Amino acid sequence: MKHVVRLVEGHLVYDGLLSSKEKASIDEILRVLQEEIPTIEADLEEEYGQGVWYKYHLGLFLGELLEKYNITISERR
C-alpha cells in the first residue's frame, strides 16, 4: 500500500499504514522544512529579490532536501 502524507488545515494526515520509524522520518522532514525554508527564502530574497535567480536558488535548495531525505519521484508529487 502506498504511504501518503498530506497537510489538511495545518495538520498532518497519514493515509495508509506507517511504521513508527517512517512516521518519525516524515515528522523530522516536516520540522526541517518548517524551520529552514523561511530562513532560506528570506536570505535568497535579500540577495536576489523575487526574480528568476531567487526561484532558481530556492529550487536548488529544495532539490538538495529531496536528495538528502531520499524522497522518491512518486512521493515528490
Side-chain angles (χ1 to χ4, degrees), residues 26-44:
I26 291 166
D27 291 342
E28 173 65 15
I29 292 169
L30 181 60
R31 185 190 62 73
V32 168
L33 292 176
Q34 289 175 329
E35 290 176 3
E36 289 188 23
I37 288 178
T39 303
I40 297 299
E41 286 177 329
D43 292 345
L44 291 174

Side-chain angles (χ1 to χ4, degrees), residues 41-59:
E41 286 177 329
D43 292 345
L44 291 174
E45 185 174 354
E46 184 178 313
E47 187 168 343
Y48 300 108
Q50 282 287 328
V52 172
W53 286 112
Y54 164 84
K55 294 174 185 176
Y56 172 77
H57 287 284
L58 181 60

Side-chain angles (χ1 to χ4, degrees), residues 1-5 7 10-11 14 17-18 22 25 29 36 40 44 54-55 57 61-62 68 71 74 76:
M1 175 179 279
K2 188 71 179 156
H3 302 193
V4 178
V5 179
L7 280 173
H11 300 284
Y14 299 95
L17 301 173
L18 293 166
E22 290 170 320
S25 174
I29 292 169
E36 289 188 23
I40 297 299
L44 291 174
Y54 164 84
K55 294 174 185 176
H57 287 284
F61 170 75
L62 295 174
K68 176 180 177 181
I71 307 299
S74 62
R76 292 177 187 195

